[in-house]
Amino acid sequence: MTLPLALAPEIAAACAEGRPVVALESTIISHGLPWPDNAATARALEDDIRAEGALPATIAVLDGAVRVGLDDRALERLARGEGVRKLSRADLADCLIRREAGATTVAATMICARLAGIEVFATGGIGGVHRGAEQSFDVSADLHELARTAVTVVAAGPKAILDIPKTLEVLETLGVPVIAYGQDDLPAFWSRSSGLRAPLRADTPAEVAAAHLMRARLGLGGGQLVANPIPAEAEIPAADLAPVIAAALAEAAARGIAAKAVTPFLLAEVLTRTEGRSLRANVALVRANARLGARIARAIAAARAG
Ligand code: PSU
Ligand code: MN
C-alpha cells in the first residue's frame, strides 16, 4: 500500500530540490480562530512565507489523504470548520481510513511535515501542560511529539491558559530544546516575557538552523521549539488577561469541558471575552512566526548547500 500523502506540485518540486518550505497547521484555522478571520489569516501566513523567500505548506487530512499545500477551496472548507475533526497523533490513521476531514494540530502537523520532508513548521501556540494537570493529567500530545519528531517548530511560547512552569519542566524531561529567540526570557504568547528564563537562546536564523542540523548529525531524533516573542506593538499585558483567563478556566470547569475540547474552548472564551483584542494579537504573532520560520528554512537550505 502506498503512503496516503499528496503534495502540491510546487511543494514536491521544492522538497526534491532542497528549497526552503515551511509547514503550517490547520487546527489553528478550524478550531483556533473564528470565521472569517481564520481564512484571511491562513492566506496571510502563506503570503508572509512567500515574501520571505520560502514556500508555505498548509497541512490537513482531506478525502483520504494527508494534503500538503492546500488550494483556496480546501482552506475555506477548513476555515468554515463544519465536520472538521481535530487531529493529533492518535487520530491521524482513523481519520484517513474513514476519509473524513481533519485539521492537524501541532503534533499531527509535525508528523505529516516529516513524511513530506519538511523540516520547519510555524504556528501560534503549542499545546502544553494545563493548569490543574496534577488532577486532570491534561498534558498535550504536542510535547511528546516535539520529543520524537525532528521538525523545528516556531511558536510564540506557551499560552497563559496553560501552566507555563510545568510545561517547561515537561519539555526539559523530554529533552526538547526550548530556544527563546532574540532574548533570554521565555515568551508567553500574548506577552513578550513569561517571567521565566528560557533554557536556550538564539539570535539569528543561522543559529537555529545550525542547531537543527547538528541535532540531525547526532541522530537525536526530536524537534526543537523556537519561542519567538510577539511583536511589541501587539503585546497584551499579562495583568489585562489574567482575569479573562481565570473566567475562561472557571467556565470550562463549570461545564465539565475535557480532553480535546479543552484548548478550543479556552481559546474561544478568551477571544469573546476580549472583544477582538486577543484576536489581533494572535494574528500578529502567528504572522511574525511564519516570517521567522521562512528565514530559518532558508538558513537550513543555505547551510546544506554551502
Ligand atoms: N494554542 C493556540 N492556538 C491553537 C492551538 C493551541 O494558541 O490553535 C491548537 C494547536 O493546534 C495545538 C492544539 O497543537 O491546539 C493543542 O491541543 P491540545 O491542548 O488538545 O493538545
Ligand atoms: Mn489535552
Side-chain angles (χ1 to χ4, degrees):
M1 291 235 311
T2 53
L3 194 59
L5 181 67
L7 273 64
E10 65 170 350
I11 290 166
C15 288
E17 294 162 20
R19 283 187 278 122
V21 180
V22 178
L24 295 166
E25 63 156 306
S26 42
T27 294
I28 187 176
I29 305 172
S30 62
H31 295 73
L33 296 171
W35 171 268
D37 305 85
N38 55 0
T41 303
R43 293 184 186 109
L45 295 177
E46 299 209 343
D47 294 343
D48 290 331
I49 289 169
R50 286 182 198 275
E52 291 287 348
L55 268 186
T58 307
I59 294 178
V61 172
L62 294 168
D63 311 312
V66 172
R67 307 269 159 197
V68 179
L70 301 179
D71 60 21
D72 226 52
R73 246 186 83 234
L75 276 184
E76 175 156 342
R77 180 167 169 201
L78 292 162
R80 291 194 177 274
E82 282 147 38
V84 177
R85 292 170 61 175
K86 174 183 163 190
L87 308 179
S88 192
R89 168 177 279 265
D91 318 287
L92 267 176
D94 184 77
C95 188
L96 284 163
I97 63 167
R98 294 179 199 290
R99 305 183 69 83
E100 290 176 352
T104 52
T105 59
V106 168
T109 305
M110 290 180 76
I111 294 168
C112 300
R114 192 80 204 101
L115 288 173
I118 300 169
E119 294 170 89
V120 179
F121 159 32
T123 186
I126 59 157
V129 179
H130 281 267
R131 298 196 199 182
E134 59 275 32
Q135 296 296 327
S136 67
F137 275 51
D138 191 345
V139 178
S140 176
D142 292 351
L143 302 185
H144 293 272
E145 206 58 52
L146 280 161
R148 65 197 295 180
T149 299
V151 172
T152 286
V153 179
V154 184
K159 258 199 171 116
I161 58 169
L162 300 169
D163 186 320
I164 297 175
K166 285 195 184 71
T167 300
L168 261 189
E169 289 291 348
V170 169
L171 287 166
E172 178 179 307
T173 301
L174 293 172
V176 176
V178 178
I179 306 166
Y181 191 77
Q183 62 181 34
D184 291 328
D185 277 9
L186 180 73
F189 202 83
W190 293 294
S191 311
R192 288 178 65 82
S193 174
S194 62
L196 300 169
R197 203 183 166 89
L200 302 168
R201 169 180 175 149
D203 290 283
T204 61
E207 279 175 32
V208 177
H212 176 98
L213 293 168
M214 182 58 75
R215 288 178 56 79
R217 244 178 283 155
L218 294 170
L220 290 176
Q224 38 179 22
L225 177 62
V226 177
N228 186 30
I230 182 172
E233 64 277 10
E235 187 178 27
I236 304 180
D240 289 10
L241 280 169
V244 170
I245 291 166
L249 290 166
E251 185 71 25
R255 294 211 213 166
I257 308 289
K260 300 171 90 68
V262 173
T263 296
F265 180 84
L266 293 174
L267 297 178
E269 283 287 305
V270 171
L271 281 173
T272 48
R273 288 168 190 271
T274 57
E275 289 167 345
R277 191 171 174 209
S278 70
L279 174 63
R280 284 189 295 278
N282 204 331
V283 171
L285 67 86
V286 67
R287 293 189 64 179
N289 295 343
R291 290 190 290 264
L292 178 57
R295 295 201 293 273
I296 293 169
R298 275 174 47 203
I300 291 173
R304 279 235 175 76

